[in-house]
Amino acid sequence: MDIKTATALRRLRLVSAPEAVSFLILLLCSALKRTTDFNAVPVMGAVHGVLFILYVIFWADAWNRAKWPLKTAALYFVLSVLPTGGFFAERKLRREAEDAVIAARARKEGVVNA
C-alpha cells in the first residue's frame, strides 16, 4: 500500500467516528425539539452535514485509491448512513490498516511474498 492510499484510508477512518457521534447527537436533538423547548437541530444539522460531506469525499477518495470492489465500497457507504455505522467503519478501517502494516513489514523482511 502506497502512502497516498494509506493517507486516504486514515482520513476516512478519522472522520467516521465523529460523523457517527454527530448523527446520534442530531437524533437526540431532534427528539428533544419535539418534546421540550430545546432546539439545537439547526446547529447539529450543520455540524453533521459538514462531517457527512467530508465522509463522502474521503470515501470516494479511498475507494479510488484502494481499488475496493463495489461490494466493499457500498458497505462503507451504507455504514455512513446508519446511526452507529461510523463506529463499525472506523474499526474495520483500523484493522485493514494494521493488516497492511503487517504485510509491508513481512515483505520488507522477506518473510512472505505478499
Side-chain angles (χ1 to χ4, degrees):
M1 178 181 310
D2 65 342
I3 191 71
K4 290 184 179 183
T5 304
T7 302
L9 293 174
R10 185 169 189 268
R11 276 192 307 242
L12 181 60
R13 184 175 64 84
L14 290 177
V15 80
S16 63
E19 190 270 337
V21 170
S22 73
F23 194 4
L24 292 174
I25 293 173
L26 179 60
L27 290 175
L28 177 67
C29 289
S30 181
L32 289 174
K33 176 184 175 183
R34 285 161 178 68
T35 58
T36 66
D37 291 334
F38 183 74
N39 185 11
V41 171
V43 173
M44 279 313 301
V47 170
H48 174 67
V50 168
L51 288 171
F52 180 74
I53 289 169
L54 284 174
Y55 184 95
V56 171
I57 291 169
F58 294 158
W59 165 80
D61 185 39
W63 181 13
N64 182 40
R65 292 187 186 281
K67 307 293 186 226
W68 287 331
L70 183 59
K71 183 178 175 182
T72 302
L75 171 69
Y76 283 120
F77 186 79
V78 168
L79 287 175
S80 74
V81 296
L82 297 175
T84 58
F87 299 119
F88 295 107
E90 191 276 332
R91 186 177 350 164
K92 189 167 174 47
L93 287 164
R94 184 171 23 98
R95 286 184 187 155
E96 188 175 324
E98 289 169 356
D99 290 346
V101 168
I102 291 169
R105 286 181 183 162
R107 277 193 305 272
K108 183 178 179 183
E109 295 173 3
V111 175
V112 294
N113 197 10

